[in-house]
Amino acid sequence: MIRTEGLTKRFGQLTAVDNLNIHVQKGEIYGFLGPNGAGKTTTAMMILGLLKPTEGRVKLFGKYLEEDYFNIKRRIGVLSEFQYLYDEMTAYEYLRFFGNLYQVDDIDKRITQVLGLVNLDHRKHELLRGYSKGMKQKLGMARAMLHDPELLLLDEPVSSLDPYGIKEIRDIILEENRKGRTFLISSHILSEIERTCHRIGIMNKGRLVAEDTMADLRRRLMDEVELNITLEQESEAVTKALQEKPYVSSVQVNGKEYVVKTKTDKDYRGEISRTIAAAGGVVVEIHRHEMSLEEAFVTITDKNISLLAKEGVA
Amino acid sequence: MSYSYRTNASKVIAFRELFSTLYGLGLYVVLTAVFLISSYTVHGSVFQLEQNGLLALPSPLTSPFFLTVGLVAIYLGLCSAISISRERDQGTLEVLFYGPVDSFSYILGKYGQQMLTFFVVLVFSVINFWLVSLVTNFGFSGNFFSLMVLSIFLASCMVSFGIFLSTLTKRTNISLILFIALMILLVIFPFARQSVLSIPGKSLTTVMIYIRIVLDNLNILMQWISPVAYFERGLVAVGLHDTVQYIISIAASTIYTAVILGISMKVFENKGVKR
């Protein structure tokens, strides 16, 4: 769906995007992450043809934008971080204008559908100047989906929404993805990316520093697995038995609570349960601590910054 | 295929803005003011007729009509000058370009909207002057209709000039100042040049001769870049009943519009759509 080929953008001395090669596949939800100034928005602007790359090109649906500008644009829906609306219009008029622009068939029916999706159908005849930030965000989502696009580029889609609105948008994304729509989502709300995206690309200082599924990112980043174990009671014998195991790197004891770190090559929870039982302990609970996207994001960007600093880039 | 998409985008943009203008108050306030000013000049002719029993002008409705369309053309030029920069300023421009809109269709849409507004104004003006004609019993001359056609091309030049200025800047107030400053310059320049030309040759210093040469060259340049210059040529042709010159001035206005809009598209592409 989207393939960037050595995409680079320089603003004078500053390299905003550096030799970016990403590939968003049909039917996937791709999360685009990065700290402020990482180059995410610049990349999105280049993908949409709103900013000329210094080097490299972008292919959308297997074609360069200039090869079939209008047809490609009609297959993309975009939701930007900030909603710039025509305040003198009502939601209905606003969507009708964009419906005409995209030459949507049976506009009225489609407007009713998309406003229903974002729960704004009862306010469609109100002027947009009276809309709250969250409502504007939802209307932006309705506009992005109005022409039934195959690909949706969403920049911070839930940033202005309350928890209920966030759930609404998340459900829409997941539902539309099930229908086959492809998403490229750029967001700072890492938990949302974690919940919705199949693959994640992490940008830092204009470079793509990691690109993988969430599970693979975790695997690559975690040196050891942390198990939080609750025993019926504290036991010296259990501690000693665990420490003797070659796959256990450390054991921390805090009363009945044990924190055991193991190698990442396999799941050792079964063996650890048996070891504890053999040492006379009783396991009440074992919890495997998963690395959150937030932790992965910080780890990756920190590592990348250190690396760039060594290279003299940062 | 891209032709039909472009046409559609231009049409949709033009009509959205046209309805926005027609539903707004600004146009009607300006029209009312302009009609009051033109009515005042008609009143002058009526007054003279009452006082002296004769008409000073052979066609007393022509000048007020010229004043009406001239002022409206300047107003539309001003609106054009802020139209793109305002949309860029508000961020709505970027949203439009997410979709099937390119610089060609956008600029054409903006031009189309202002010209459609002018046609609406023209209809109002004709109705107004027809009513004035009924009240005063002043008739329309052949010049009136020639001027009416010519005014469309004046508006076209003013609008394209305004659009060009709007592509140069990213802020609405800067576009506004630029347009007003250039209009003032266009008004002041002929007077300044005339003042220098009126100085007798013998009393000219070297500096004054140099200024005269610069002003003469600037005048030649003005004849090419000023949106009003093409209309002035048309006016002269109407006055002289010179059909060939009249057609040439209309053709020149059309070429001016096309060239200025073409340059505007290029400038717009280079500037981009970001705020």
Side-chain angles (χ1 to χ4, degrees):
Chain A
M1 279 271 170
I2 304 175
R3 188 184 286 277
T4 66
E5 301 168 352
L7 205 61
T8 302
K9 182 69 188 178
R10 291 189 201 96
F11 297 103
Q13 295 293 308
L14 176 80
T15 304
V17 177
D18 190 5
N19 192 29
L20 182 71
N21 295 291
I22 59 166
H23 181 206
V24 179
Q25 286 154 3
K26 190 175 185 334
E28 78 170 331
I29 306 178
Y30 186 99
F32 211 32
L33 288 174
N36 288 335
K40 303 186 302 291
T41 305
T42 306
T43 303
M45 290 291 118
M46 287 193 283
I47 288 172
L48 289 168
L50 303 183
L51 206 56
K52 278 183 188 165
T54 311
E55 284 166 30
R57 298 180 87 179
V58 180
K59 265 190 173 177
L60 292 159
F61 310 104
K63 286 179 178 174
Y64 295 114
L65 190 59
E66 60 273 20
E67 285 176 2
D68 198 4
Y69 182 87
F70 288 94
N71 272 322
I72 289 174
K73 282 293 184 88
R74 282 158 55 95
R75 294 167 74 183
I76 307 173
V78 183
L79 172 68
S80 56
E81 183 178 2
F82 304 106
Q83 298 312 308
Y84 305 114
L85 310 171
Y86 299 104
D87 286 345
E88 74 280 8
M89 283 181 159
T90 64
Y92 172 79
E93 288 165 346
Y94 180 73
L95 291 180
R96 196 172 172 86
F97 166 61
F98 278 96
N100 285 328
L101 205 58
Y102 283 95
Q103 295 175 294
V104 174
D105 294 328
D106 205 352
I107 298 179
D108 284 344
K109 191 180 163 193
R110 187 65 190 149
I111 289 173
T112 307
Q113 277 176 357
V114 290
L115 282 177
L117 273 177
V118 295
N119 209 12
L120 280 178
D121 45 346
H122 59 296
R123 306 190 71 162
K124 67 179 176 183
H125 294 301
E126 288 179 27
L127 286 179
L128 298 182
R129 68 168 62 100
Y131 268 39
S132 70
K133 217 173 164 188
M135 286 163 74
K136 287 180 178 178
Q137 187 86 353
K138 286 203 247 176
L139 183 64
M141 188 69 186
R143 176 189 44 73
M145 292 195 306
L146 182 67
H147 54 290
D148 208 8
E150 293 161 61
L151 171 66
L152 277 133
L153 267 73
L154 312 180
D155 191 7
E156 301 291 352
V158 295
S159 60
S160 317
L161 301 175
D162 56 26
Y164 186 72
I166 290 175
K167 189 183 177 308
E168 270 181 346
I169 296 295
R170 188 196 309 141
D171 290 346
I172 290 169
I173 292 171
L174 294 172
E175 178 57 30
E176 294 301 314
N177 177 251
R178 270 193 286 276
K179 291 178 190 167
R181 255 189 260 282
T182 308
F183 286 84
L184 172 64
I185 304 175
S186 163
S187 179
H188 287 100
I189 303 177
L190 304 181
S191 57
E192 277 312 305
I193 292 278
E194 196 168 12
R195 283 183 200 192
T196 49
C197 296
H198 303 134
R199 278 200 308 144
I200 293 151
I202 299 182
M203 277 193 88
N204 196 23
K205 303 250 171 190
R207 291 184 182 182
L208 187 71
V209 292
E211 187 189 47
D212 224 322
T213 60
M214 194 56 224
D216 284 340
L217 270 182
R218 279 199 194 101
R219 236 190 320 274
R220 277 168 47 191
L221 289 165
M222 288 172 79
D223 300 328
E224 40 195 22
V225 174
E226 188 179 296
L227 300 175
N228 299 311
I229 305 167
T230 308
L231 298 187
E232 205 171 54
Q233 59 183 43
E234 189 180 347
S235 160
E236 278 284 326
V238 169
T239 310
K240 204 176 167 203
L242 287 172
Q243 283 169 339
E244 282 171 357
K245 294 291 171 190
Y247 51 81
V248 173
S249 53
S250 72
V251 179
Q252 285 176 12
V253 184
N254 183 16
K256 294 184 283 184
E257 308 292 328
Y258 282 63
V259 178
V260 179
K261 288 185 176 171
T262 69
K263 289 180 179 173
T264 56
D265 54 341
K266 64 182 252 197
D267 189 352
Y268 288 103
R269 279 180 292 184
E271 286 185 40
I272 283 183
S273 292
R274 283 190 289 276
T275 304
I276 292 169
V282 177
V283 176
V284 177
E285 188 185 2
I286 293 188
H287 173 72
R288 184 186 159 108
H289 174 74
E290 295 279 354
M291 184 183 237
S292 69
L293 181 57
E294 195 170 326
E295 287 168 308
F297 177 75
V298 171
T299 307
I300 287 171
T301 49
D302 277 354
K303 276 184 182 175
N304 182 250
I305 288 167
S306 316
L307 189 71
L308 292 172
K310 276 180 196 166
E311 290 174 10
V313 178
Chain B
M1 202 63 169
S2 67
Y3 171 76
S4 72
Y5 289 142
R6 274 185 170 149
T7 312
N8 176 66
S10 298
K11 194 179 78 184
V12 173
I13 291 168
F15 277 97
R16 188 203 79 78
E17 305 233 349
L18 175 70
F19 290 126
S20 175
T21 306
L22 294 181
Y23 287 129
L25 207 64
L27 180 71
Y28 303 104
V29 171
V30 169
L31 261 183
T32 308
V34 165
F35 285 160
L36 283 174
I37 294 168
S38 64
S39 299
Y40 183 74
T41 59
V42 175
H43 175 259
S45 297
V46 174
F47 182 74
Q48 278 202 344
L49 189 65
E50 282 175 350
Q51 292 292 305
N52 309 322
L54 53 87
L55 271 171
L57 294 166
S59 177
L61 294 185
T62 303
S63 295
F65 179 76
F66 163 65
L67 191 68
T68 301
V69 292
L71 288 175
V72 169
I74 291 172
Y75 169 71
L76 291 181
L78 181 77
C79 292
S80 306
I82 59 171
S83 63
I84 297 174
S85 48
R86 187 179 54 198
E87 204 151 19
R88 199 198 299 271
D89 222 0
Q90 291 171 342
T92 49
L93 183 62
E94 190 182 313
V95 182
L96 277 180
F97 276 77
Y98 293 157
V101 178
D102 64 352
S103 57
F104 183 90
S105 52
Y106 181 71
I107 297 280
L108 214 62
K110 286 282 173 188
Y111 171 77
Q113 179 254 324
Q114 299 294 352
M115 288 310 292
L116 285 171
T117 309
F118 184 77
F119 285 120
V120 172
V121 168
L122 207 58
V123 170
F124 276 120
S125 301
V126 168
I127 293 169
N128 174 59
F129 278 91
W130 176 68
L131 290 173
V132 170
S133 160
L134 286 181
V135 172
T136 60
N137 214 20
F138 290 150
F140 292 104
S141 69
N143 282 1
F144 183 87
F145 297 102
S146 304
L147 267 178
M148 198 168 80
V149 174
L150 199 65
S151 70
I152 297 168
F153 293 90
L154 166 70
S156 173
C157 291
M158 288 297 290
V159 166
S160 54
F161 185 68
I163 286 173
F164 170 66
L165 294 184
S166 200
T167 58
L168 292 177
T169 59
K170 286 198 171 186
R171 292 283 171 267
T172 313
N173 48 3
I174 296 172
S175 304
L176 194 69
I177 292 165
L178 194 63
F179 183 83
I180 293 169
L182 281 170
M183 282 297 120
I184 291 170
L185 183 74
L186 288 174
V187 172
I188 288 175
F189 180 77
F191 291 107
R193 182 170 169 263
Q194 204 55 49
S195 307
V196 174
L197 286 176
S198 64
I199 299 169
K202 284 178 185 172
S203 56
L204 281 178
T205 61
T206 317
V207 176
M208 287 307 288
I209 291 170
Y210 180 73
I211 290 172
R212 188 183 267 192
I213 293 167
V214 170
L215 286 176
D216 280 342
N217 285 311
L218 269 178
N219 187 48
I220 295 167
L221 186 70
M222 288 280 200
Q223 296 305 309
W224 286 98
I225 61 167
S226 165
V228 185
Y230 298 86
F231 181 67
E232 282 171 352
R233 279 175 223 158
L235 269 186
V236 172
V238 170
L240 296 172
H241 300 287
D242 187 338
T243 311
V244 175
Q245 280 306 312
Y246 180 75
I247 292 168
I248 288 173
S249 80
I250 283 176
S253 300
T254 310
I255 293 167
Y256 176 88
T257 300
V259 170
I260 293 290
L261 288 180
I263 296 169
S264 304
M265 282 167 203
K266 280 287 152 201
V267 174
F268 182 78
E269 269 175 22
N270 288 333
K271 279 257 175 205
V273 299
K274 290 287 286 173
R275 292 177 87 189

